[in-house]
Amino acid sequence: MASPFLSRVPLSNTNTNTNTITNFASISFSSSLSNSLPFRPSSFSTFPSKRRTLTVRSKIREIFMPALSSTMTEGKIVSWIKSEGDILSKGESVVVVESDKADMDVETFYDGILAAIVVPEGDSAPVGAPIGLLAETEDEIAEAKAKAASSSNSTSPPPTSSPASAISQPQPPRSKPVSDSPRKTVATPSAKKLAKQHKVNIESVVGTGPFGRITPADIEAAAGITPSKSIEIKSNVESAPPPPPKSTASLAAPPPIPGSTVVPFTTMQSAVSKNMLESLSVPTFRVGYPVTTDALDALYEKVKPKGVTMTAILAKAAAMALAQHPVVNATCKDGKGFTYNANVNIAVAVAIDGGLITPVLQDADKLDLYLLSQQWKELLKKARAKQLQPNEYNSGTFTLSNLGMFGVDRFDAILPPGQGAIMAVGASKPTMVADADGYFSVKSKMLVNVTADHRIIYGADLAAFLQTFSKIVENPESLTL
């Protein structure tokens, strides 16, 4: 029985239709054909008798380095879950990538065979760069391996000379610029003045001075003028060859101390370094406030057996104060305006092996203290295992840094980029205080320092926020409601 799909082809011309059916069938049942066909299905009856050759394209797809966070510029391959030659299914985890915040599994979007691994374990690649090749059939594996080999050869850096040879051998004078990129013209002031007098295009002159600098002698040579006596006398006086120039690297970084060890930044440490440099562009100020913690200490002893941590209590108190002072919870990112955040998300700084991360307690002002403490324990566990999801560490609107557990009585915190303020909490210690009548007593106090973005938060705003925070801590009954 003839296929009803093929029976739709008109049979006006036997030869033409024979070729037409052949072409039509090959289009219908081929797995990998070009999307740009030179005809439409409605015009099959008008095909010429000459058979057309259709190009089959191979399905080799690239597995790219994903952007696992908004600040990630490159990622490091922690481990390949799959090996070359393994058959993959869509949505299956292929590789573990270390971002600037966490280690995350990367899934494949297609079915296929892992034909080649471009970036091996332990190496890094920029976001968007191919890290592996996925083939559709076994016949394409060899082609994918060749593509991976050519890609690695093209991206390998050219060999460079050792620092010793770079210092001992002076750079030869350049006859002409080697690259096609624009060359910066460096000339002495007298050479510029001389070029203007003799109408010499200084851009076309190649300097013979140190590092290619254009000298007056170069200008006179270009203008066809005999060098002046002053230059000749100067050249006779300075007949001794100048010492070879020192390399820029040796000037920039001193040699390491004997016996020292150079440790490169991890991906997370590089991200922290980048964020700290960005924070220097924000005008900040700091306000300190002493808070009495006797009632807070009593509450902590009461709820500690139920699994509540001091960090959760402080985060809850800060969130409740921020709800009353939304400007301290605001954000200024472009320097042209600021945003009032609808949610109070408290990011808490945590030191982990190899870096620093800030898990976020979202909607901390609306959560029950016990539920908040439970969420904090889960976030802390995931942070130390480097398994936080991006929304669990990059959605903070206010940061809390607590070093009181280490006995630190006071410190200043650096404002994270994209936030309005960060609170630094010191240890609670017994302090001698005097009341209005002159009677002395001992009370536990902790010093709280807040660093804020002065573009959106002013001194009065921060002082009012700290007063509210102090009242909540000194009367903590509202924390358990």
Side-chain angles (χ1 to χ4, degrees), residues 77-94:
I77 304 297
V78 178
S79 63
W80 280 93
I81 302 175
K82 300 295 182 180
S83 304
E84 292 185 353
D86 289 351
I87 300 176
L88 308 178
S89 300
K90 181 180 178 180
E92 192 174 4
S93 296
V94 182

Side-chain angles (χ1 to χ4, degrees), residues 124-137:
S124 301
V127 170
I131 59 176
L133 297 179
L134 194 67
E136 190 176 64
T137 63

Side-chain angles (χ1 to χ4, degrees), residues 259-338:
S260 61
T261 304
V262 178
V263 180
F265 275 164
T266 63
T267 308
M268 181 177 293
Q269 288 171 333
S270 298
V272 172
S273 175
K274 178 176 178 292
N275 289 340
M276 294 303 97
L277 290 176
E278 288 182 7
S279 68
L280 295 177
S281 63
V282 178
T284 59
F285 72 108
R286 297 165 180 83
V287 175
Y289 201 97
V291 180
T292 304
T293 62
D294 292 299
L296 184 70
D297 294 338
L299 174 67
Y300 177 61
E301 293 299 327
K302 181 180 178 181
V303 299
K304 183 179 179 181
K306 300 180 181 180
V308 178
T309 63
M310 180 58 75
T311 299
I313 296 176
L314 294 173
K316 178 68 175 178
M320 293 176 63
L322 288 170
Q324 301 181 43
H325 302 274
V327 69
V328 185
N329 194 52
T331 301
C332 178
K333 294 184 178 180
D334 57 0
K336 299 179 181 179
F338 62 97

Side-chain angles (χ1 to χ4, degrees), residues 22-287:
T22 303
N23 289 334
F24 195 72
S26 63
I27 296 167
S28 303
F29 301 109
S30 177
S31 60
S32 303
L33 296 178
S34 171
N35 293 327
S36 56
L37 297 178
F39 47 80
R40 295 177 299 175
S42 60
S43 61
F44 285 159
S45 59
T46 61
F47 279 178
S49 59
K50 186 176 180 181
R51 185 168 180 172
R52 296 179 181 272
T53 303
L54 300 179
T55 304
V56 179
R57 293 182 180 176
S58 60
K59 292 287 185 179
I60 298 177
R61 295 185 172 95
E62 294 178 330
I63 303 174
F64 296 101
M65 174 66 71
L68 303 178
S69 69
S70 58
T71 58
M72 176 177 170
T73 57
E74 69 174 10
K76 181 181 179 181
I77 304 297
V78 178
S79 63
W80 280 93
I81 302 175
K82 300 295 182 180
S83 304
E84 292 185 353
D86 289 351
I87 300 176
L88 308 178
S89 300
K90 181 180 178 180
E92 192 174 4
S93 296
V94 182
V95 62
V96 179
V97 173
E98 178 189 9
S99 70
D100 52 357
K101 302 292 184 182
D103 293 351
M104 298 186 66
D105 292 356
V106 177
E107 302 174 350
T108 175
F109 294 103
Y110 305 99
D111 298 336
I113 303 172
L114 183 57
I117 293 177
V118 179
V119 181
E121 295 181 0
D123 288 358
S124 301
V127 170
I131 59 176
L133 297 179
L134 194 67
E136 190 176 64
T137 63
E138 293 183 357
D139 298 335
E140 298 163 352
I141 294 180
E143 181 183 350
K145 288 184 178 294
K147 183 177 180 181
S150 62
S151 174
S152 60
N153 291 336
S154 61
T155 56
S156 58
T160 56
S161 58
S162 61
S165 62
I167 296 175
S168 60
Q169 298 177 2
Q171 186 178 6
R174 296 173 295 176
S175 57
K176 61 170 60 178
V178 178
S179 63
D180 296 333
S181 58
R183 178 176 60 90
K184 183 179 179 181
T185 303
V186 181
T188 62
S190 57
K192 292 179 181 179
K193 183 178 180 181
L194 202 61
K196 188 175 181 181
Q197 292 176 353
H198 297 286
K199 298 181 179 181
V200 175
N201 184 9
I202 200 169
E203 299 290 340
S204 61
V205 179
V206 178
T208 58
F211 301 103
R213 183 183 296 271
I214 299 175
T215 62
D218 299 326
I219 300 296
E220 292 179 341
I225 304 174
T226 306
S228 58
K229 291 184 178 180
S230 59
I231 298 178
E232 290 178 356
I233 295 173
K234 185 177 181 180
S235 62
N236 291 333
V237 173
E238 299 178 356
S239 57
K246 296 183 179 179
S247 65
T248 333
S250 62
L251 295 176
I257 299 175
S260 61
T261 304
V262 178
V263 180
F265 275 164
T266 63
T267 308
M268 181 177 293
Q269 288 171 333
S270 298
V272 172
S273 175
K274 178 176 178 292
N275 289 340
M276 294 303 97
L277 290 176
E278 288 182 7
S279 68
L280 295 177
S281 63
V282 178
T284 59
F285 72 108
R286 297 165 180 83
V287 175

